[in-house]
């Protein structure tokens, strides 16, 4: 378009619709929002609004918080703004007005800004030609100076969100490291518990690796030797010179064991009985009268 020209609101919508992800719906919201702000700031002309290229640039700038380049529509951006406003209000509820006054003010400012951005506007400014006086109360948040001041608030809000996300990521990483450390400790403990007892293993290995076979141990130890879970005795009449004990021989061995144990118990009882007619002597040490 060559030269300077004024556009009606409808023509401005047509101009913007071709370049916005949401098409005409986005363009209507951008233009209507801009004209609502202008009406509250300056009043509406009796012949209705007209816009030029500078107005369109300003309208685009006021929606700079919408990621048009990334394909975000105005409707999606307003939903995001609504969530941001709610989050700021919830965080403000737990913020002290005495010890965290500056932070509380920032949260209220964020909630006000995002709440204004989340509110869809009516489209009456696109067709309304009735003149009116300025209405500053309608655009307290939308005025140019207020919007500029909120750019810093928005940046601070985004910085806090990023800091919270970084802290959460660091906490998750620390928890992961602690969890891995515990797993490693548990694995080491399990290996220690499952490891064979070196003492018993060494003794068993020594018994198994003394260089002698079961037959050799039986021949060396004589009749009644125990090897391989059975009792054996040397016998030159059988192959190998060694045979297991018969049932009768096992009974005889058991009888001998019982007889030996009985004799040992009887001898122990005789030793413990005092000799008749003999009393225990006592020695008086410092009058204590201890028996020897």
């Amino acid at each position: 378009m060559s030269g300077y020209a004024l556009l009606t609101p409808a023509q401005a919508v047509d101009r913007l619709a071709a370049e916005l992800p949401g098409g005409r719906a986005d363009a209507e919201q951008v233009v209507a929002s801009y004209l609502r702000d202008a009406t509250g700031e300056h009043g509406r002309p009796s012949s209705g609004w007209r816009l030029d290229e500078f107005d369109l640039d300003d309208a685009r700038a006021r929606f700079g918080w919408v990621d048009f380049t990334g394909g975000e529509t105005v409707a999606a951006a307003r939903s995001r703004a609504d969530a941001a406003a709610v989050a700021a209000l919830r965080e403000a509820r737990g913020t002290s007005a005495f010890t965290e006054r500056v932070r509380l003010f920032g949260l209220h400012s964020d909630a006000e800004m995002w709440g204004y951005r989340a509110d869809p506007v009516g489209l009456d400014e696109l067709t309304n030609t009735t003149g009116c006086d300025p209405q500053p109360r309608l655009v307290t948040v939308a005025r140019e100076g207020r919007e500029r001041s909120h750019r810093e608030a928005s940046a601070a809000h985004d910085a806090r969100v990023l800091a919270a996300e970084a802290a959460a990521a660091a906490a998750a990483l620390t928890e992961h490291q602690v969890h891995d450390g515990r797993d490693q400790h548990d694995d080491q403990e399990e290996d220690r518990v499952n490891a064979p007892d070196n003492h018993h293993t060494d003794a068993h290995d020594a018994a198994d690796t003394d260089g002698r076979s079961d037959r050799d141990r039986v021949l060396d130890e004589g009749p009644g030797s125990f090897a391989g879970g059975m009792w054996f005795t040397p016998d030159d009449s059988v192959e190998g010179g060694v045979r297991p004990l018969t049932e009768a021989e096992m009974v005889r061995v058991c009888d001998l064991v019982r007889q030996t144990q009985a004799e040992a118990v009887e001898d122990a009882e005789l030793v413990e009985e005092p000799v008749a007619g003999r009393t225990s002597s006592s020695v008086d040490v410092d009058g204590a009268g201890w028996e020897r």
Side-chain angles (χ1 to χ4, degrees):
M1 183 176 180
S2 60
Y4 180 81
L6 290 175
L7 305 174
T8 65
Q11 290 173 334
V13 169
D14 293 337
R15 178 73 63 84
L16 292 177
E19 61 184 67
L20 299 179
R24 190 170 184 82
D26 280 4
E28 288 176 345
Q29 286 293 303
V30 170
V31 175
S33 297
Y34 177 76
L35 293 180
R36 183 188 64 173
D37 298 348
T39 297
E41 186 74 16
H42 307 290
R44 186 185 305 111
S46 58
S47 60
W49 282 108
R50 296 293 184 272
L51 300 90
D52 57 16
E53 291 293 338
F54 299 102
D55 292 318
L56 294 183
D57 291 340
D58 194 7
R60 294 187 190 94
R62 288 172 183 263
F63 277 79
W65 57 277
V66 182
D67 186 16
F68 290 129
T69 304
E72 185 179 35
T73 64
V74 173
R78 290 198 189 282
S79 298
R80 175 169 60 84
D82 183 70
V86 172
L89 286 175
R90 288 178 176 173
E91 189 173 356
R93 291 175 184 174
T95 303
S96 172
F98 298 97
T99 60
E100 300 176 284
R101 181 176 301 177
V102 175
R103 181 168 178 267
L104 182 62
F105 175 81
L107 290 172
H108 284 164
S109 182
D110 286 351
E112 187 181 28
M113 176 189 67
W114 289 111
Y116 176 80
R117 290 174 172 177
D119 185 28
V121 301
L123 304 180
D124 56 324
E125 289 292 351
L126 300 180
T127 57
N128 198 336
T129 58
T130 303
C132 69
D133 294 330
Q135 304 173 41
R137 293 300 300 173
L138 296 179
V139 289
T140 301
V141 180
R143 292 170 59 180
E144 183 179 1
R146 182 67 168 172
E147 191 69 18
R148 286 177 179 174
S149 68
H150 274 84
R151 292 174 185 171
E152 295 183 359
S154 179
H157 177 79
D158 294 342
R160 285 196 296 270
V161 171
L162 293 176
E165 292 176 351
L173 178 60
T174 302
E175 179 65 20
H176 181 68
Q177 292 174 344
V178 171
H179 183 71
D180 289 346
R182 289 175 179 172
D183 289 343
Q184 183 178 4
H185 178 270
D186 293 341
D187 292 341
Q188 293 176 349
E189 184 67 14
E190 183 178 357
D191 292 341
R192 185 188 67 79
V193 172
N194 293 335
D197 191 327
N198 292 335
H199 174 72
H200 294 291
T201 302
D202 292 344
H204 183 270
D205 291 344
D208 289 344
T209 60
D210 61 358
R212 297 187 302 166
S213 65
D214 289 345
R215 178 178 180 278
D216 294 336
R217 283 198 294 273
V218 170
L219 293 176
D220 292 341
E221 297 172 9
S225 299
F226 188 79
M230 297 184 64
W231 291 97
F232 290 85
T233 185
D235 189 344
D236 295 334
S237 63
V238 299
E239 183 179 359
V242 175
R243 64 172 176 80
L245 296 179
T246 64
E247 184 176 353
E249 291 173 334
M250 284 297 300
V251 172
R252 176 58 180 164
V253 169
C254 292
D255 291 341
L256 290 175
V257 171
R258 282 195 294 270
Q259 181 180 355
T260 302
Q261 291 176 341
E263 292 176 353
V265 171
E266 184 180 354
D267 292 342
E269 291 176 351
L270 292 176
V271 172
E272 291 177 358
E273 291 179 357
V275 179
R278 181 178 178 181
T279 60
S280 59
S281 61
S282 62
V283 177
D284 192 356
V285 181
D286 296 334
W290 292 348
E291 291 185 355
R292 183 180 301 276

